[in-house]
Amino acid sequence: MNAKPEAVANPKPHFAGSSDLGGGWSSLTGWLPVAGQGMLAVNAFLLRGREPVLIDTGLAALREPMLDLIDEAVGLAKLRWIWLSHADADHAGNLAAILERAPGATLVTNFLGAGKLDMAGIRPDRLRLVIPGESLRIGAMRLIALRPPYYDAPESMGFFDSNSRTLFAVDSFGALLPRVCARLAEVDPPALSDGLAAWSAIDAPWLADVEPCRLAEALARLRRLDATRLLSGHLPAATGEDEVLHLLDLARRALVPARDSFTARQGAAA
Ligand SMILES: [Fe+2]
Ligand SMILES: [Fe+2]
């Protein structure tokens, strides 16, 4: 990383609270020190409304402040949906506790996610199965399920909220950062670029074996969504079209090797 990670006086996860992202969305953020590498945001998200939606459930170590904040924001008893992106501990850490305190909540996952949750003792009658390409309808809104461009668990499932033009990309666009920050704009582009590359190499090492143009195509598909918010489980949210495009462009430069342009030129010349 360009900037040296700040010395971590207390190398434990800590809860940073909630930020309003507009469009009914807010983030619930914890920070996880990663030894020698920097800080990693661990985000859950809330969509307020008549049928409140919680996206992921955060770290078990931060259970109390996380549940208190959800309760304060929408009322756990009124929580209607929990969209679980995948079954990793940093996303499902408080799932059982929330399901217990939110008896009206239905858990949204896909076939493999359901299998993993079944093994974890989650009752199948609490589940709603959705596959990439399908939508979860919430009143007049739709969350369109999609597979993120890179991931660390095959059940990983993000979405595009066509109403607020919000893209949730699961672990994609996560970055190890030199220090805690409240907003994405606070991160220097070189540090963000290095952090994106470092995180993807740790979390999705298989990317090294992917034809670069494939990843470039996946990022280009996301660009065409014209999202006004880009939510990652592991980065402060990008808000506004300009910031989303900036992040997508930066990720492309950081993650798609330069030989992609050479490959693309070769393809065009063939
Ligand atoms: Fe993950
Ligand atoms: Fe994660």
Side-chain angles (χ1 to χ4, degrees):
M1 304 174 91
N2 275 7
K4 245 194 158 2
E6 69 183 8
V8 179
N10 180 12
K12 288 182 181 169
H14 70 270
F15 194 60
S18 162
S19 295
D20 189 346
L21 305 175
W25 287 96
S26 54
S27 57
L28 309 171
T29 299
W31 286 91
L32 186 65
V34 180
Q37 299 289 324
M39 300 296 291
L40 184 69
V42 180
N43 295 316
F45 301 94
L46 261 178
L47 177 58
R48 297 180 299 277
R50 289 181 63 184
E51 297 185 32
V53 189
L54 175 67
I55 313 302
D56 287 339
T57 67
L59 295 164
L62 304 175
R63 179 165 302 157
E64 207 175 309
M66 173 76 79
L67 266 63
D68 285 353
L69 236 165
I70 298 167
D71 206 24
E72 207 173 283
V74 297
L76 276 163
K78 292 182 184 161
L79 188 65
R80 178 65 188 90
W81 302 100
I82 302 168
W83 184 290
L84 188 73
S85 66
H86 60 308
D88 283 1
D90 52 331
H91 300 259
N94 296 310
L95 181 59
I98 292 173
L99 282 172
E100 196 179 320
R101 289 186 52 186
T106 297
L107 180 55
V108 183
T109 183
N110 53 29
F111 181 75
L112 180 60
K116 290 189 177 182
L117 293 168
D118 186 33
M119 289 188 277
I122 305 294
R123 286 186 356 228
D125 62 340
R126 301 290 304 265
L127 304 182
R128 167 76 65 88
L129 296 195
V130 174
I131 59 172
E134 288 183 345
S135 296
L136 174 70
R137 287 191 176 277
I138 303 170
M141 294 169 36
R142 287 190 312 151
L143 300 186
I144 306 163
L146 54 80
R147 188 181 297 282
Y150 51 98
Y151 46 83
D152 63 8
E155 73 273 21
S156 294
M157 193 167 67
F159 59 75
F160 181 62
D161 166 13
S162 55
N163 182 57
S164 67
R165 310 206 68 76
T166 299
L167 170 64
F168 171 55
V170 192
D171 284 341
S172 294
F173 308 106
L176 285 159
L177 299 178
R179 61 189 61 83
V180 166
C181 58
R183 297 172 57 243
L184 188 57
E186 294 171 19
V187 187
D188 290 336
L192 180 53
S193 182
D194 288 351
L196 285 162
W199 172 249
S200 68
I202 292 168
D203 198 54
W206 52 267
L207 268 182
D209 299 324
V210 170
E211 189 62 38
C213 64
R214 293 284 184 171
L215 179 58
E217 281 166 16
L219 295 173
R221 277 197 296 278
L222 295 187
R223 215 175 192 283
R224 288 195 290 274
L225 291 174
D226 292 327
T228 55
R229 267 171 224 86
L230 200 168
L231 314 182
S232 164
H234 301 297
L235 189 72
T239 54
E241 279 174 35
D242 290 349
E243 197 165 67
V244 171
L245 289 177
H246 175 66
L247 177 57
L248 288 169
D249 289 345
L250 202 75
R252 189 186 189 286
R253 289 197 297 275
L255 305 179
V256 179
R259 69 187 169 91
D260 179 46
S261 57
F262 176 70
T263 308
R265 280 202 305 276
Q266 275 189 320

